[in-house]
Amino acid sequence: MKEIIIQEAINLYRIKGLSLTMNDIAQSLHIAKKTIYKYFDSKESLLQGVVEYGFALIQQKKRQILSSDLAYIEKLSQLLIAMPTEIASIDFKQLESLSTQYPAVFASINHHLKSDWEPVYAFIQQGIDAHILRDIPLYMIEIIITSSMNSLLSNSDDTHTYQQSLQDLLDILMKGMIL
């Protein structure tokens, strides 16, 4: 039931944004609001659950990509913008508003954006060692990726979705890293 509530919160967030309420979720799922409160004691804890669920899906997607038979460059391209279908339609740029209303949730997002890259960095190092990628210091790649992801969240450019911005970032990263 907890995962069902989270999934419905994600679906309704696409429509309502942060104006989403526990009552909206309860009505949509045809359950009592107290059922939601059995799993989440507040809207903030629900949002935190959504964040943890979303990033767990992203990590699962990265593991699938890493274990795939794709060529190195294609695998790296997919890793850099790994986005599971369950959350792909969310425009993450809208999450910037969390910083004022739910700073702990926003801090959690930033933490994940900074710390969930270890498998990708290890894969990049493999590419550098195999002379597939330029010999760029890994710390510099980490700075570029982390800074870029954080900037995408706070970018006020409404002409591009988060997914489009990720694709643009990927193009720049890949053209700058390939030998």
Side-chain angles (χ1 to χ4, degrees):
M1 180 54 87
K2 183 176 182 176
E3 189 171 320
I4 291 169
I5 293 167
I6 288 172
Q7 289 169 348
E8 191 58 26
I10 291 168
N11 291 335
L12 292 173
Y13 179 82
R14 289 181 186 105
I15 300 164
K16 296 183 167 257
L18 279 181
S19 65
L20 164 75
T21 66
M22 300 292 231
N23 199 47
D24 294 331
I25 298 166
Q27 287 178 353
S28 182
L29 291 174
H30 306 290
I31 60 173
K33 199 161 61 168
K34 69 179 182 175
T35 303
I36 297 171
Y37 283 105
K38 282 173 45 178
Y39 300 96
F40 304 100
D41 61 4
S42 66
K43 182 176 175 180
E44 184 170 22
S45 69
L46 172 62
L47 292 172
Q48 185 61 45
V50 168
V51 167
E52 296 305 319
Y53 177 78
F55 279 102
L57 289 175
I58 291 169
Q59 292 307 313
Q60 179 181 1
K61 178 79 172 182
K62 287 178 183 178
R63 285 189 298 275
Q64 289 171 348
I65 294 165
L66 282 168
S67 66
S68 72
D69 293 332
L70 295 170
Y72 182 89
I73 296 299
E74 181 59 28
K75 196 179 281 193
L76 179 59
S77 295
Q78 288 190 22
L79 280 171
L80 290 172
I81 60 170
M83 190 64 63
T85 55
E86 298 90 338
I87 59 172
S89 64
I90 294 175
D91 192 349
F92 287 86
K93 290 180 186 179
Q94 297 175 3
L95 295 179
E96 176 70 17
S97 58
L98 283 171
S99 64
T100 54
Q101 293 179 316
Y102 301 99
V105 176
F106 190 74
S108 178
I109 291 169
N110 280 324
H111 170 75
H112 282 289
L113 288 175
K114 290 178 183 173
S115 65
D116 288 357
W117 288 92
E118 288 81 13
V120 176
Y121 297 146
F123 190 70
I124 289 171
Q125 187 62 56
Q126 289 173 9
I128 292 169
D129 293 344
H131 304 290
I132 298 169
L133 300 177
R134 290 177 43 206
D135 189 8
I136 301 169
L138 199 54
Y139 83 91
M140 185 56 63
I141 294 170
E142 291 177 23
I143 290 170
I144 291 167
I145 289 174
T146 302
S147 299
S148 298
M149 292 299 174
N150 283 330
S151 292
L152 285 181
L153 286 179
S154 61
N155 187 337
S156 61
D157 177 14
D158 293 333
T159 61
H160 291 86
T161 66
Y162 185 77
Q163 285 298 107
Q164 290 168 325
S165 296
L166 271 180
Q167 189 61 52
D168 291 342
L169 176 60
L170 172 67
D171 291 343
I172 292 165
L173 287 173
M174 295 304 292
K175 289 176 182 170
M177 292 182 1
I178 298 172
L179 284 174

